[in-house]
Amino acid sequence: RPGPGGARPLLVAGQLIDFQWKLGVAISADSCKSLKLPCVTVALKVADGSGNITCKTFEMTVPQFQNFYSQFKEMASVLETF
């Protein structure tokens, strides 16, 4: 939808509805090649501009999750300035 002056947004981001994570040990997974090592499962619920909710689940290694978390914190601090 056009913004002020008829400009259209370049990027429309979904709204994060829910974020859950859990630590476990992978018995079999695509992303955790070394089995029996800790893996983090992340479940996200995101609403698009129309209000449709999509659920996404993915697995990461612990170092990947730590990096993901660090980037999330960085984004949150940037968004607080708006």
Side-chain angles (χ1 to χ4, degrees):
R1 82 194 118 173
R8 292 192 174 273
L10 295 175
L11 175 67
V12 177
Q15 178 183 4
L16 182 63
I17 303 296
D18 190 28
F19 177 95
Q20 296 182 15
W21 64 274
K22 68 179 176 180
L23 181 63
V25 177
I27 295 173
S28 69
D30 293 334
S31 62
C32 300
K33 302 298 181 199
S34 301
L35 301 180
K36 297 185 182 177
L37 290 179
C39 232
V40 178
T41 302
V42 176
L44 303 175
K45 283 187 184 177
V46 180
D48 65 15
S50 303
N52 298 319
I53 296 177
T54 304
C55 300
K56 300 286 182 186
T57 303
F58 51 95
E59 293 177 334
M60 293 184 255
T61 63
V62 171
Q64 287 172 326
F65 180 73
Q66 290 170 326
N67 184 44
F68 176 78
Y69 174 74
S70 171
Q71 290 176 357
F72 229 74
K73 278 181 36 177
E74 202 173 301
M75 286 187 297
S77 67
V78 168
L79 290 174
E80 287 176 359
T81 63
F82 287 99

